[in-house]
Amino acid sequence: MSKITAAITAVGGYVPDFVLTNQILESMVDTNDEWITARTGIKERRILKDKDKGTSFLAIQAAKDLLTKSKVDPAEIDMVIMATTTPDMPVAVTGAYVATEIGAINAFSYDLMAACSSFLFGMSTAAKYIESGRYKKVLLIGADKMSSIIDYTDRSTCIIFGDGAGAALFEPNHEGYGVQDEYLRTDGGGRPHLKIDAGGSLLPPSHETIDNKQHFVYQDGRTVFKFAVSNMADVSEKILERNNITGDDIAWLVPHQANNRIIEATSRRMELPDEKVMKNIHKYGNTTSATLPLCLYDYEKVLKKGDKIVFAAFGGGFTWGSIYLTWAYDSE
Ligand code: UT7
C-alpha cells in the first residue's frame, strides 16, 4: 500500500460584519492611523458585536462555508479539532458544540490551545490522525473572538487584534501531496511576556482581578516582537534547508498575521519576493488561531496542485514553528 500523506482538500472562512477601522480607534484611544499602519500594517479588523455569540459562532460559520463549497457530508467527518485561545466557556469543549451544530454527528472533538500557534500545531495533529490510517476526514477549525479578551482602553493591544475563523479539511492522499515536514517549538520562559493573568487555575476570577483588569491580554510588545522575528525566520529557514528547497522552489509563505514587519523579516530570510507571501493583516488584524486558515480562504483561488507552501507562526507561551506542505488541488 502506498504511503498516506495528509492533504488539505477544502477550506472555508468567516469574518463578522463590523469593521473596526484605525479611524474609529483614533476616537477610542490615543493613537493614529499613521502609527498603526507603519508599525503593524493593520488598517482595519472585524469585530463580533453580538453579545450572545462566542467563538463557536465564528467557527460554525467557517465550517459551514467549507461544507457548502466542498459538498462534504458532515456526517462523514471523523474528527473536529477546534484550535482556539478563546473557547466559549471553560470545561465544556467548544469543538464538541461546533461539531454538533454543523451536523458532524459521527465525529469526536476537542479544543487545542497554543495561542497564535494553535492552528499550526493543529495542522500537525490533524496530519498525524490522517497518516495513522485510522481517520479519513479531519476538520481543523481555527477561530478566536479576540474582542472578548481585549481592553479597548489599552492602545498597545486593542489596535492589533480582530475576530475571525477559518477551517481546513484534511484527508488521506496517495500521490504524496499534503504535509511533508514540520518543525515545532515551545519555550515556557516566554510566559511573562504575553498572557492573561487571571481566570485560570493560578489566579481564579475575583472582584479584585476584575478591578485590576487582569482578564485582558497583556503583551510586552517589544520583547514578543524580538522573539517572533528571530524565531519565525529561523524555523522557516530551517524547514527549507531540511527539505533541500530554497525560496525559488516555494510558491507561497503563509505567515501568522501579527505584524507586517515580522512577516517581512521572515520572507526576507527565506529570500521570497512579496508576491509569494500571503497577507491579509491590513483588513483583519491579528485573529490569533484564524490567521493561517483565513489566508488560505482568501488565496484559495490562486493555489495550484503541487504548490510548495510553508506555514509559519509565533505566539504566547512562547509557541512557534513551521510546516511544509504541498497543495493537493486546483481551485475551480
Ligand atoms: O500574535 C502573537 C505574537 N504577537 C506579536 O508577534 C506581536 C509582536 N509585537 C509587535 O507587533 C509590536 O511590538 C507592537 C505593534 C505591539 C508595538 O510596536 P513597537 O514598534 O514594538 O512599539 P513599542 O511598543 O516599542 O512602542 C513605541 C512607542 C512607545 O512610545 P515611547 O515610549 O517610545 O514614547 C509607545 O508608547 O509607541 C507608543 N505606542 C503607540 N503610539 C501610538 C504604543 N502603542 C501605540 C499606539 N499608538 N497604538
Side-chain angles (χ1 to χ4, degrees), residues 32 44 212 278 309:
N32 57 78
E44 54 191 48
N212 292 340
M278 292 192 191
I309 304 179

Side-chain angles (χ1 to χ4, degrees), residues 15-29:
V15 288
D17 293 333
F18 182 79
V19 181
L20 179 60
T21 62
N22 289 352
Q23 285 69 29
I24 300 175
L25 282 166
E26 282 176 5
S27 69
M28 295 163 64
V29 289

Side-chain angles (χ1 to χ4, degrees), residues 273-306:
D274 221 31
E275 310 82 74
K276 290 185 173 187
V277 183
M278 292 192 191
K279 268 190 217 178
N280 52 22
I281 186 167
H282 56 289
K283 54 179 182 169
Y284 303 144
N286 181 349
T287 54
T288 302
S289 310
T291 59
L292 301 184
L294 276 175
C295 279
L296 294 179
Y297 172 68
D298 278 353
Y299 284 81
E300 186 188 16
K301 285 192 173 62
V302 299
L303 294 177
K304 294 187 197 63
K305 190 171 178 176

Side-chain angles (χ1 to χ4, degrees), residues 30-32 35 39-40 116 155-156 159-160 194 219 221-222 224-225 228 256 258-259 261-262 286 314-315:
D30 180 15
T31 191
N32 57 78
W35 190 97
R39 299 285 180 130
T40 69
C116 291
R155 69 173 182 176
S156 69
I159 55 130
I160 298 170
L194 179 48
Q219 174 170 246
R222 258 178 238 193
V224 177
F225 184 87
H256 175 49
N259 186 313
R261 290 181 290 145
I262 300 173
N286 181 349
F314 184 89

Side-chain angles (χ1 to χ4, degrees), residues 9-12 62-77 102 137 139 169 171 300 329 332:
T9 57
V11 298
K64 282 184 175 170
D65 178 59
L66 180 151
L67 293 170
T68 307
K69 280 189 337 202
S70 63
K71 300 190 178 65
V72 166
D73 176 359
E76 286 177 12
I77 295 173
I102 63 170
K137 283 184 170 48
L139 181 63
L169 185 68
E171 292 187 86
E300 186 188 16
Y329 64 96
E332 272 142 37

